[in-house]
């Protein structure tokens, strides 16, 4: 086991234990390597937790190692021999280590024959140790090159204490090529051993610790870095997970309390206004869910405190109508509503949809417009000077009760007569500064409605949107026939040929077809927010390299030459096109002039063409579960049923194949979101932009720790009810400032 003597450190963290001292004062010459992993102070080292623990009595399964990763494994030596380079005769030691079933080569380069002989003598058959290095492949054989090795048997004159510790669980940390797990473990121990409880500020109040039976913070930190038994580190992890959840939930509760304390203008429903007129002419019946959520919004808009609500709805559940009814209530009460969308395509789609739903109610003051009508203004960066001037005037004068736009709404020269409601669509696309810039355009705090079409598991909603009330739409409006989904093996030519025949059949019936690709052009290396290809493990013997992703331009050319699509117009749509070309492509697709549209994922959200009945997703195994579900939601939105064909080359049994088959097997977005969360973890599911530069969650895992998050949420809310600003809890305030500011603050402010 690594000790101070092993690594050559002195006991540089004395009894004073100043945790804000630079890590270089504890580990000279390695400060930059620690900083590269985010550890700048001794306190950072304490909070850099082990990823897992190795049991010296159990060997690591070599087949699960991933090429390119830096790993720490427990293995036994099978053999070790000295070989010499042909060119200069330099010696090297080639050892074969094993997990009892498979073997892995460990190669050690040295310039001295004596050193090589000493290494071979120490690596006797059956000796067990911890080997740390980067997994690579040489001559078709996996190997570790110059791995660090740490013996478990206490030989080589290691002091008696190391012999005792040889049976303890071995913490394994996320490491780098410059800093291996052994060194991190040694420095963490140097920091924690002399530490006293009175040198720590515990963010969890004593009353909460006592009620939850949580031990002292110093003991938890010691046990997570220097455990003597598995129970030690498990108990420490639970305690530190709770602390993490509690700090996060305390800040969410504090923000919730601050929002509730802000004054807002009440926007009660007005009898005989726009909303009543709109409801009277609706050509369809609202679902029970739409009515229930609408009533919730109506009640909260009528209060003199700002509404703070998250509306999540299944694909096609009718969120737009619910949001529009809330906007009309605000307009009736003398206010304006701003709808912020992430892309020009989506903003334009929203404006068209709102105008179509409102009819002459959206033509206030115009020839043929309803007497009590308003206007829907569209403001995007690509508008002509005249159109932009008109939109700005409508927003500033109040003539436009509803203003839809992209980031252009945030410009300094955009003014509102009386902004009363901010609706943010696809909230994860925006940051805190953008949202607050828009809200600041209101004289009083406006009401806020956050919408997302991505179903969010309850545990994620508690952790990310914990300061918002949540409403959920799960019903699909009547008249929609749904979508059937099938997986098409990419290497099965008859199935692929049948795919394009199916497209032709739908077009001949008056339908439209999306064909989704991951790239724009064949030489374009940029994916469209795709899931990374699964890494090759040592157990994937003979795994074939993946073929290049299909691209919009080349696929469109191929389809135009297919006999099955002879005479069918094929268009393209992607993010590099000009706004005018995008609009034209969508208009031609919607009208049926160009019934087949080859596109990137720009159509993922918001594009509404009821005649679209078929979607083909090429390289479907390279997309995420949520993305596939969102794409599928673009079809089957009218009376005709939809069919989604997922073309995949993923081998059966792989995670990619599981993703695709799971999407094909269910249309329940919440079930898919839970599956995605379990498979990929919250950092990946929510995205780097949602979590900040690095995930704020270190030990807490929302897919697993729902009950613990519930407990922490209840405790935090009770504390904030007593003290809304947490003034009596400086340690908790300090923890919030330290852990949830800067880039991580954005994670919280996604709400």
């Amino acid at each position: 086991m690594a000790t101070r003597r092993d690594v050559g450190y002195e006991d540089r963290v004395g009894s004073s234990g100043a945790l804000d001292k630079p890590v270089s004062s504890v580990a000279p010459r390695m400060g930059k390597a620690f900083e590269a992993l985010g550890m700048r102070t001794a306190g950072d080292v304490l909070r850099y937790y082990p990823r897992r623990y190795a049991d010296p009595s159990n060997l690591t399964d070599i087949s699960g190692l991933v090429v390119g990763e830096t790993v720490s494994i427990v293995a036994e030596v099978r053999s070790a021999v000295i070989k010499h380079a042909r060119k200069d005769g330099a010696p090297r030691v080639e050892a074969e280590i094993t997990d009892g079933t498979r073997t892995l080569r460990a190669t050690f380069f040295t310039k001295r024959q004596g050193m090589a002989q000493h290494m071979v003598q120490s690596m006797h058959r059956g000796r067990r140790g911890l080997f740390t290095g980067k997994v690579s492949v040489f001559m078709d054989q996996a190997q570790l090159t110059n791995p660090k090795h740490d013996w478990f048997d206490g030989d080589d004159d290691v002091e008696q204490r190391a012999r005792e510790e040889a049976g303890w669980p071995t913490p394994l940390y996320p490491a780098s090529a410059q800093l291996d797990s052994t060194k991190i473990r040694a420095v963490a121990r140097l920091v924690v051993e002399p530490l006293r409880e009175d040198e720590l500020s515990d963010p969890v109040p004593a009353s909460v610790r006592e009620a939850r039976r949580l031990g002292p913070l110093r003991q938890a930190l010691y046990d997570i870095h220097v455990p003597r038994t598995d129970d030690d580190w498990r108990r420490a992890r639970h305690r530190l997970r709770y602390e993490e959840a509690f700090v996060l939930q305390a800040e969410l509760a504090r923000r919730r309390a601050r929002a509730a304390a802000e004054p807002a203008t009440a926007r009660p429903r007005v009898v005989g206004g726009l909303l009543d007129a709109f409801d009277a002419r609706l050509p369809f019946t609202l679902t029970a869910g739409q009515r229930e959520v609408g009533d919730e919004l109506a009640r909260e808009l009528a209060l003199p405190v700002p509404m703070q609500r998250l509306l999540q709805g299944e694909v096609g559940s009718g969120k737009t109508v619910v949001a529009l009814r809330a906007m009309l209530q605000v307009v009736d009460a003398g206010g304006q509503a701003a709808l912020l969308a992430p892309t020009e395509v989506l903003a334009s789609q929203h404006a068209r949809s709102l105008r179509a739903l409102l009819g002459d109610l959206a033509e206030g003051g115009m020839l043929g417009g309803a007497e009590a009508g308003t206007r829907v203004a569209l403001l995007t960066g690509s508008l002509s000077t005249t159109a932009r001037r008109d939109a700005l005037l409508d927003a500033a004068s109040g003539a436009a009760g509803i203003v839809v736009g992209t980031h252009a709404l945030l410009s300094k020269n955009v003014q509102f007569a009386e902004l009363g409601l901010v609706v943010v669509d696809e909230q994860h696309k925006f940051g805190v500064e953008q949202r607050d810039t828009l809200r600041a355009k209101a004289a009083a705090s406006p009401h806020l409605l956050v919408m997302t079409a991505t179903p969010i598991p309850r545990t994620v909603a508690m952790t990310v949107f914990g300061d918002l009330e949540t409403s959920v739409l799960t019903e699909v409006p009547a008249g929609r026939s749904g979508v059937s989904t099938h997986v098409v093996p990419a290497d099965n030519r008859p199935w692929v040929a049948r795919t394009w025949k199916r497209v032709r059949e739908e077009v001949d019936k008056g339908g439209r077809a999306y064909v989704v690709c991951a790239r724009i052009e064949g030489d374009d290396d940029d994916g469209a927010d795709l899931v990374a290809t699964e890494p090759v493990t040592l157990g994937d013997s003979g795994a074939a390299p993946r073929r290049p992703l299909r691209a919009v331009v080349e696929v469109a050319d191929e389809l135009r030459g297919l006999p099955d699509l002879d005479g069918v117009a094929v268009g393209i749509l992607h993010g590099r096109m000009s706004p005018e070309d995008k609009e034209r492509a969508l208009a031609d697709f919607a009208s049926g002039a160009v019934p087949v549209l080859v596109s990137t994922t720009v159509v993922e959200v918001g594009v509404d063409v009821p005649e679209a009945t078929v979607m083909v997703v090429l390289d479907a195994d390279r997309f995420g579960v949520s993305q596939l579900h969102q794409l599928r939601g673009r079809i089957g939105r009218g009376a005709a049923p939809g069919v989604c064909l997922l073309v995949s080359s993923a081998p059966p049994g792989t995670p990619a194949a599981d993703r695709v088959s799971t999407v094909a097997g269910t249309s329940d977005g919440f079930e898919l979101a839970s599956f995605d969360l379990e498979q990929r973890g919250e950092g990946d599911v929510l995205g780097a932009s949602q979590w900040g530069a690095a995930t704020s969650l270190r030990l807490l895992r929302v897919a697993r720790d729902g009950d613990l998050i519930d407990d922490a949420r209840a405790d935090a809310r009770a504390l904030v009810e007593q003290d809304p600003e947490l003034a009596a809890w400086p340690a908790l305030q300090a923890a919030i400032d330290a852990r949830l500011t800067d880039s991580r603050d954005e994670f919280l402010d996604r709400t």
Side-chain angles (χ1 to χ4, degrees), residues 538-560:
L538 300 188
D540 295 336
S541 56
R546 288 201 156 180
R547 60 188 179 189
L549 296 169
R550 305 304 307 280
V552 168
V553 175
E554 65 182 24
V555 169
D557 287 341
E558 289 178 18
L559 296 185
R560 291 177 184 127

Side-chain angles (χ1 to χ4, degrees), residues 559-624:
L559 296 185
R560 291 177 184 127
L562 282 181
D564 287 327
L565 295 179
D566 183 43
V568 176
V570 177
I572 63 173
L573 178 68
H574 56 74
R576 294 180 189 168
M577 295 167 59
S578 69
E580 293 80 13
D581 287 343
K582 290 178 188 175
E583 286 290 327
R584 189 178 304 112
L586 281 172
D588 288 344
F589 181 65
S591 69
V594 181
V596 175
L597 185 64
V598 185
S599 172
T600 59
T601 55
V602 70
V603 299
E604 177 185 353
V605 176
V607 176
D608 187 7
V609 179
E611 295 80 10
T613 55
V614 62
M615 172 173 285
V616 179
V617 182
L618 301 177
D619 298 304
D621 49 293
R622 305 292 288 275
F623 292 80

Side-chain angles (χ1 to χ4, degrees), residues 273-284 286 320-322 324-325 328 353-354 356-359 361:
L274 274 170
L275 179 52
D276 284 348
F278 174 72
D279 284 347
R281 64 175 65 184
L282 264 179
F284 52 83
L286 296 174
T320 301
V321 171
V322 172
L324 175 56
R325 295 182 74 246
L328 293 177
S353 296
L354 297 181
L357 286 167
L358 289 169
L361 295 176

